[in-house]
């Protein structure tokens, strides 16, 4: 590359040197080399010798050193490849619970710090690749043996009862059989009495139901209401711990019952109270969230007796047996109890639900009882034998209300899944599902005596009337500003009562003559 300078500009100019290409052949030089007898090998040898003399090339004397084969490392490498091959072929369950069980069986930690299900599966895979899959085979063979105890967990266990329970079962059988015969006789007589015209008239009266009276029941939400057997009083329970008796239909306060220290779940009348039972006798029973169950008369504002044995578990609801001799209570210890009020003792402590029992109802004959629980199931019990004769399975969530129809063989249940179901005891299945409300159903109640319609109350703020047996909606009772906690129908079929979270209770009646 040449550089030329310029005095004028003071700058250097670089001139690129052109490449020179030589044309020709090496043939002449090769002929000269062959003529002189110089070989390529000799030339290369001379070059190598010159490099050795200069010290640039080191060549050993020809001694060799044999490398010992590391047989252990080779075996280890082969074992690693074989283990990886087996690991790829091993099928590990995707159930994390089963993976943990297998790790526990192998004596390994079921969970390492920061380890997820995928890493845990891979760790088990590597362990099985090392130890072999045969180590968990005995466990798989034992699984059918272990399933049997799980099946037995679903079986209702029966224990030997007391002598008083045996006597009570005999008494219930003697009480229920004549009533069942009487009920069937009435059903045969009334089979052709309810004509289509009468049924249509009743539906017209139900469609004309409106709010007649409204009253503030307490300064806390109201939880339960029930008419007295003579239909002249309404008992209302409150979350304040008070129970109040109101006159019907003018809604005047008769008496305030003080005794509970926390929320009252329910208050019920004795079947013969205000009819043939003395006012000083045990006419009412109530239950609270603290497990207290109290008995009341119609004279005093304080309880006449306490039933102990539930605390500290909550008692959700309670109900009288049709005879009035027994009282059934639902407890949050997953059981329900049957109390003999004459003997003043608990004669039955029945388990069977996997979660708290929330409601109980007795058949009008007195032979059967049905319970609903927060486990989403209902159970039908034969009080004469103590057996669970029907399992009501179908609700997706907790059963919050359950009741017998007056015909003795239909059961209605209301659930947290917003539906009401109708069950036929004779067919032992659900015969109809009513998509009743847009929120949970707090109460289901049949028309007294006849059962021609069903009333449901819900946390959506409404109560609805459904025709039996088409289960078509006849009327929606809307008027409460909050959740409707409970609903009841007076025995004389003149009023429907509802209590709400808005602290009020309302009386509903038909604008047409003829009652409900």
């Amino acid at each position: 590359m040449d550089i030329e300078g310029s005095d004028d500009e003071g700058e250097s100019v670089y001139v690129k040197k052109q490449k020179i290409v030589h044309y020709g052949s090496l043939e002449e030089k090769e002929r000269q080399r062959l003529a002189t007898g110089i070989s390529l090998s000799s030339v290369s040898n001379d070059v190598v010798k010159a490099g050795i003399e200069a010290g640039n090339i080191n060549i050993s004397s020809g001694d060799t050193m044999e490398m010992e084969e590391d047989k252990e490392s080779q075996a280890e490498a082969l074992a690693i490849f074989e283990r990886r091959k087996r690991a790829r072929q091993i099928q590990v369950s995707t159930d994390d619970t089963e993976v943990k069980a297998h790790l526990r069986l192998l004596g390994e930690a079921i969970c390492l710090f920061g380890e997820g299900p995928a890493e845990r599966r891979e760790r088990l895979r590597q362990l099985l690749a090392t130890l072999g899959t045969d180590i968990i085979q005995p466990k798989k063979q034992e699984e059918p043996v272990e399933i049997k105890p799980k099946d037995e967990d679903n079986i209702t266990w029966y224990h030997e009862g007391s002598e008083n329970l045996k006597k009570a079962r005999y008494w219930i059988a003697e009480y229920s059989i004549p009533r069942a015969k009487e009920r069937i006789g009435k059903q045969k007589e009334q089979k052709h009495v309810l004509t289509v015209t009468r049924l249509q008239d009743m539906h017209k009266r139900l469609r004309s139901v409106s709010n007649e009276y409204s009253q503030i029941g307490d300064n806390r939400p109201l939880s339960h209401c029930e008419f007295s057997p003579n239909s002249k009083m309404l008992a209302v329970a409150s979350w304040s711990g008070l129970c109040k008796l109101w006159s019907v239909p003018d809604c005047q306060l008769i008496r305030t019952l003080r005794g509970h220290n926390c929320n009252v779940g329910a208050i019920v009348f004795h079947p013969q109270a205000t009819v043939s039972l003395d006012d000083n006798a045990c006419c009412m029973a109530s239950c609270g969230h603290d497990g207290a169950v109290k008995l009341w008369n119609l004279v005093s504002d304080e309880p006449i007796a306490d039933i102990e044995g539930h605390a500290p578990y909550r008692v959700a609801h309670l109900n009288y047996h049709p005879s009035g001799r027994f009282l059934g209570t639902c407890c949050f210890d997953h059981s329900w109890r049957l109390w003999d009020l004459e003997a003043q003792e608990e004669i039955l402590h029945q388990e069977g639900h996997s979660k708290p029992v929330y409601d109980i109802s007795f058949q009008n004959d007195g032979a059967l009882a049905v319970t609903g629980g927060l486990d989403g199931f209902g159970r039908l019990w034969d009080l004469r034998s103590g057996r669970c004769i029907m399992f009501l399975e179908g609700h997706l969530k907790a059963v919050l209300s359950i009741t017998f129809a007056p015909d003795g063989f239909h059961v209605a249940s209301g659930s947290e899944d917003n539906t009401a179901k109708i069950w036929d005891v004779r067919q032992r299945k659900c015969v109809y599902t009513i998509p009743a409300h847009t929120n949970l159903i707090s109460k289901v109640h049949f028309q007294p005596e006849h059962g021609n319609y069903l009333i449901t109350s819900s946390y959506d703020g409404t109560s609805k009337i459904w025709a039996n047996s088409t289960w078509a909606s006849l009327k929606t009772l809307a008027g409460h500003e909050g959740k409707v906690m409970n609903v009841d129908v007076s025995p004389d079929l003149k009023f429907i009562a509802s209590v709400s979270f808005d602290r009020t209770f309302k009386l509903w009646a038909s604008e047409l003559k003829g009652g409900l």
Side-chain angles (χ1 to χ4, degrees), residues 330-348:
C330 304
C331 190
F332 264 46
D333 64 354
H334 306 182
S335 71
W336 64 277
R337 325 277 182 93
L338 190 65
W339 303 83
D340 189 339
L341 300 181
E342 291 185 3
Q344 299 182 1
E345 66 174 354
E346 176 190 294
I347 59 172
L348 178 62

Side-chain angles (χ1 to χ4, degrees), residues 59-268:
I59 297 178
S60 64
S61 60
D63 297 335
T64 59
M65 182 178 64
E66 295 182 359
M67 297 181 62
E68 296 181 359
E69 295 182 358
D70 193 352
K71 297 182 179 180
E72 293 181 359
S73 61
Q74 290 181 1
E76 184 178 352
L78 291 174
I80 292 175
F81 286 123
E82 188 66 24
R83 185 166 62 249
R84 290 178 180 175
K85 180 180 178 182
R86 288 198 304 267
R88 288 193 298 267
Q89 296 174 351
I90 294 175
Q91 295 181 356
V92 180
S93 173
T94 57
D95 185 0
D96 193 47
T97 304
E98 187 175 349
V99 171
K100 290 181 179 179
H102 287 161
L103 289 172
R104 187 180 290 109
L105 179 65
L106 296 176
E108 298 289 334
I110 64 172
C111 185
L112 300 180
F113 180 78
E115 184 182 53
E119 292 83 359
R120 194 159 32 249
R121 288 183 66 242
E122 185 60 28
R123 181 159 62 92
L124 176 60
R125 187 192 305 275
Q126 296 300 330
L127 288 171
L128 294 179
T130 304
L131 303 175
T133 58
D134 296 339
I135 194 169
I136 62 172
Q137 292 300 326
K139 181 70 176 179
K140 291 184 177 180
Q141 294 176 1
E142 293 174 2
E143 284 182 357
V145 180
E146 293 184 355
I147 289 176
K148 293 182 180 179
K150 293 181 181 178
D151 293 340
E152 291 176 358
D153 291 342
N154 297 327
I155 298 175
T156 304
W157 292 93
Y158 302 96
H159 305 278
E160 184 176 355
S162 63
E163 185 64 26
N164 289 338
L165 176 59
K166 182 179 179 181
K167 293 179 180 178
R169 294 200 190 282
Y170 276 115
W171 189 92
I172 291 174
E174 294 176 355
Y175 173 84
S176 62
I177 292 176
R179 289 173 62 91
K181 291 182 178 179
E182 181 181 358
R183 171 178 58 83
I184 294 174
K186 288 183 179 180
Q187 289 176 352
K188 290 181 178 179
E189 293 176 0
Q190 297 176 357
K191 184 176 181 180
H192 304 289
V193 172
L194 188 62
T195 61
V196 176
T197 304
R198 291 186 178 182
L199 191 62
Q200 291 176 349
D201 291 341
M202 183 188 66
H203 289 177
K204 288 181 181 179
R205 294 195 300 270
L206 292 173
R207 290 189 179 97
S208 64
V209 171
S210 61
N211 184 18
E212 292 289 329
Y213 303 92
S214 182
Q215 178 66 276
I216 298 176
D218 198 51
N219 56 8
R220 292 292 308 279
L222 307 182
S223 57
H224 194 270
C225 67
E226 182 167 307
F227 283 101
S228 62
N230 66 355
S231 304
K232 294 182 180 180
M233 284 191 297
L234 180 70
V236 176
S238 169
W239 280 11
S240 66
L242 299 177
C243 299
K244 296 183 180 181
L245 298 179
W246 301 85
S247 61
V248 177
D250 53 358
C251 298
Q252 296 296 319
L253 180 62
I254 299 176
R255 187 173 295 104
T256 300
L257 307 179
R258 307 175 186 273
H260 287 282
N261 297 322
C262 64
N263 301 3
V264 182
I267 182 168
V268 293

Side-chain angles (χ1 to χ4, degrees), residues 380 388-391 423-430:
L380 186 64
C388 178
I389 59 176
M390 184 178 174
F391 190 64
W423 310 82
D424 193 322
V425 177
R426 302 168 301 179
Q427 301 181 40
R428 302 172 64 87
K429 67 177 184 179
C430 175

Side-chain angles (χ1 to χ4, degrees), residues 201-477:
D201 291 341
M202 183 188 66
H203 289 177
K204 288 181 181 179
R205 294 195 300 270
L206 292 173
R207 290 189 179 97
S208 64
V209 171
S210 61
N211 184 18
E212 292 289 329
Y213 303 92
S214 182
Q215 178 66 276
I216 298 176
D218 198 51
N219 56 8
R220 292 292 308 279
L222 307 182
S223 57
H224 194 270
C225 67
E226 182 167 307
F227 283 101
S228 62
N230 66 355
S231 304
K232 294 182 180 180
M233 284 191 297
L234 180 70
V236 176
S238 169
W239 280 11
S240 66
L242 299 177
C243 299
K244 296 183 180 181
L245 298 179
W246 301 85
S247 61
V248 177
D250 53 358
C251 298
Q252 296 296 319
L253 180 62
I254 299 176
R255 187 173 295 104
T256 300
L257 307 179
R258 307 175 186 273
H260 287 282
N261 297 322
C262 64
N263 301 3
V264 182
I267 182 168
V268 293
F269 278 97
H270 188 286
Q272 301 301 321
T274 68
V275 178
S276 60
L277 192 65
D278 186 16
D279 290 350
N280 291 310
C282 176
C283 296
M284 294 177 292
S286 62
C287 61
H289 287 196
D290 58 355
V293 176
K294 299 183 181 295
L295 305 179
W296 312 81
N297 60 21
L298 295 176
V299 178
S300 174
D301 58 356
E302 295 182 355
I304 59 175
D306 291 343
I307 297 179
E308 300 178 350
H310 303 92
Y313 298 100
R314 170 185 171 185
V315 179
H317 286 91
L318 74 172
N319 214 337
Y320 273 101
H321 186 267
S323 65
R325 175 179 172 178
F326 305 101
L327 181 69
T329 57
C330 304
C331 190
F332 264 46
D333 64 354
H334 306 182
S335 71
W336 64 277
R337 325 277 182 93
L338 190 65
W339 303 83
D340 189 339
L341 300 181
E342 291 185 3
Q344 299 182 1
E345 66 174 354
E346 176 190 294
I347 59 172
L348 178 62
H349 185 140
Q350 182 64 63
E351 298 178 344
H353 289 272
S354 60
K355 287 186 178 181
V357 184
Y358 203 80
D359 198 12
I360 184 171
S361 178
F362 293 97
Q363 186 192 36
N364 287 346
D365 303 339
L368 305 176
V370 63
T371 56
L374 299 186
D375 54 5
F377 303 114
R379 284 182 176 268
L380 186 64
W381 307 88
D382 189 343
L383 299 178
R384 299 163 296 186
S385 64
R387 294 182 177 275
C388 178
I389 59 176
M390 184 178 174
F391 190 64
L392 283 63
E393 181 180 8
H395 282 294
L396 303 178
K397 293 185 179 180
V399 177
L400 303 179
S401 180
I402 197 162
T403 185
F404 262 106
D407 58 18
F409 55 84
H410 279 119
V411 173
S413 60
S415 170
E416 194 178 349
D417 61 9
N418 307 348
T419 66
K421 289 183 179 291
I422 310 299
W423 310 82
D424 193 322
V425 177
R426 302 168 301 179
Q427 301 181 40
R428 302 172 64 87
K429 67 177 184 179
C430 175
V431 294
Y432 201 87
T433 299
I434 307 174
H437 293 272
T438 58
N439 207 330
L440 65 83
I441 296 178
S442 57
K443 182 67 176 180
V444 289
H445 190 82
F446 277 102
Q447 178 199 29
E449 297 297 329
H450 308 294
N452 292 324
Y453 56 85
L454 175 74
I455 299 182
T456 60
S457 63
S458 171
Y459 274 21
D460 62 7
T462 64
S463 300
K464 294 185 179 182
I465 304 175
W466 309 87
N468 184 1
S469 57
T470 61
W471 309 114
S473 177
L474 298 177
K475 181 68 177 180
T476 299
L477 309 180

